[in-house]
Amino acid sequence: MQELIQQSLTWTNTFIFLGWAVVMMLVVLGFVTYAIYFERKVIGWMQFRHGPSRVGPLGLLQTVADIFKLLIKEDTIPRKADRALFILAPVIAYVPAFAVLATIPYSERLGFADLNVGLLYYAALSSITTIGIIIGGWASNNKYSLLGGMRSAAQMISYEIPLVISVVGIILLNGSLSLRTIVEGQGNYFWEWNLFPQIIGFVVFLIAGISELNRTPFDLPEAESELVAGYHVEYSGFRFAFFMLAEYVYVFALSALTTVLFLGGWHPPFPFLDFVPGILWFVLKFSFCVFFIFWLRATMPRIRVDQLMSFGWKVLLPLALLNVFLTALYIELFNK
């Protein structure tokens, strides 16, 4: 794939690119379908319940049935809603979620675009989803959805700052914003991965990233006990499915980015395990990150909105700045 990207753009290459994009979309849609099933099974296992078990063998078709139900439900638009923005909001929320996957390197040879500012590209595009959520809340002409949208804006903007600052240490160590270069800078021993020298940045990145996903315990923009359902309360059918799809695509993107930045990407934990294809190591680490996100949802209660904002500004931001300072000090003292 990388060799193909370096070639001159022709009609043949264009069709190949489009074909790979369709394949990637199908992979992501398959992930979303069975990530929802896996999440329900994991939470059921942790809470001594069965989880989905009726539709299909072992309940494997339950999520397929749920998606089909959403697609055939009546699409309602409130009479006093801003119709154009109401229709546009789910698209604005979803498209960046899929577009950020273009720069993720999955193995030494499997990846779509090796941008020299890949990390910056990810941070910039993922922020656009906030606009879609705010527009959806405002265009619905509903006070609860508006409050959900404003909460989302406050939360995602507040946690975006420590999220970006938490990876500055990795940029300093590698001297590049290219995700492929960052992976190649990590060795084949697990203690050479960025996880250990950047443990503070890793903790801040993981917490801020989960908050960016609006998932438990940071799901204040869709807190049903206070806001009915939050910013998407007026959405139904496939438009609601787009908001849900964006959330799970970001689970995919955040887990992949965590694997690339901190867990060595496609590198094995020991050199003698080199015979295992790199893509399998990537998938294994990626699956662990996804499992951890689901595990957190089954474990942590929702926090209050004042606790959420205080934690972001008073704890995560100072820790992220401290990590940058310690990394710069280490480079100055030991890497001359």
Side-chain angles (χ1 to χ4, degrees), residues 4 19 27 35 86 88 163 186 204 218 228 239 276 299:
L4 182 64
V27 169
F86 187 88
L88 188 62
L163 178 72
Q186 303 175 71
V204 174
F218 305 108
V228 187
R239 299 190 204 281
V276 179
T299 307

Side-chain angles (χ1 to χ4, degrees), residues 8-18:
S8 59
L9 189 62
T10 64
W11 281 109
T12 302
N13 288 350
T14 301
F15 285 120
I16 293 175
F17 289 146
L18 291 175

Side-chain angles (χ1 to χ4, degrees), residues 187-193 196 263-264 266-276 281 285:
N188 283 338
Y189 290 98
F190 69 89
W191 56 81
E192 295 176 344
W193 298 347
F196 297 99
L263 301 180
W266 59 80
H267 291 302
F270 297 101
F272 68 86
L273 295 173
D274 269 343
F275 65 92
V276 179
W281 287 117
K285 299 169 188 177

Side-chain angles (χ1 to χ4, degrees), residues 78-98:
R79 184 161 51 91
K80 294 187 178 181
D82 188 317
R83 187 179 181 86
L85 292 180
F86 187 88
I87 294 171
L88 188 62
V91 179
I92 296 176
Y94 168 71
V95 171
F98 183 73

Side-chain angles (χ1 to χ4, degrees), residues 281-310:
W281 287 117
F282 186 95
V283 170
L284 186 63
K285 299 169 188 177
F286 167 85
S287 301
F288 175 78
C289 294
V290 173
F291 172 79
F292 178 80
I293 292 173
F294 295 163
W295 181 12
L296 201 64
R297 179 176 179 179
T299 307
M300 300 288 289
R302 180 183 296 133
I303 62 176
R304 295 198 317 261
V305 67
D306 60 314
Q307 295 172 331
L308 173 80
M309 300 305 291
S310 296

Side-chain angles (χ1 to χ4, degrees), residues 43 61 65 99 120 138 162 217 231-232 248 257 261 317:
I43 295 176
L61 298 180
L120 184 62
W138 181 82
Y231 61 89
H232 52 61
Y248 279 89
L257 189 64
L261 294 179
L317 182 58

Side-chain angles (χ1 to χ4, degrees), residues 199-253:
I199 187 64
I200 298 176
F202 173 71
V203 172
V204 174
F205 178 86
L206 198 59
I207 296 174
I210 293 172
S211 177
E212 286 284 295
L213 296 177
N214 291 336
R215 289 180 62 86
T216 308
F218 305 108
D219 58 339
L220 273 300
E222 46 189 88
E224 70 279 354
S225 59
E226 306 153 40
L227 300 178
V228 187
Y231 61 89
H232 52 61
V233 65
E234 297 290 357
Y235 283 87
S236 62
F238 74 96
R239 299 190 204 281
F240 171 80
F242 260 81
F243 278 120
M244 192 173 183
L245 181 63
E247 177 183 325
Y248 279 89
V249 173
Y250 270 123
V251 170
F252 183 102

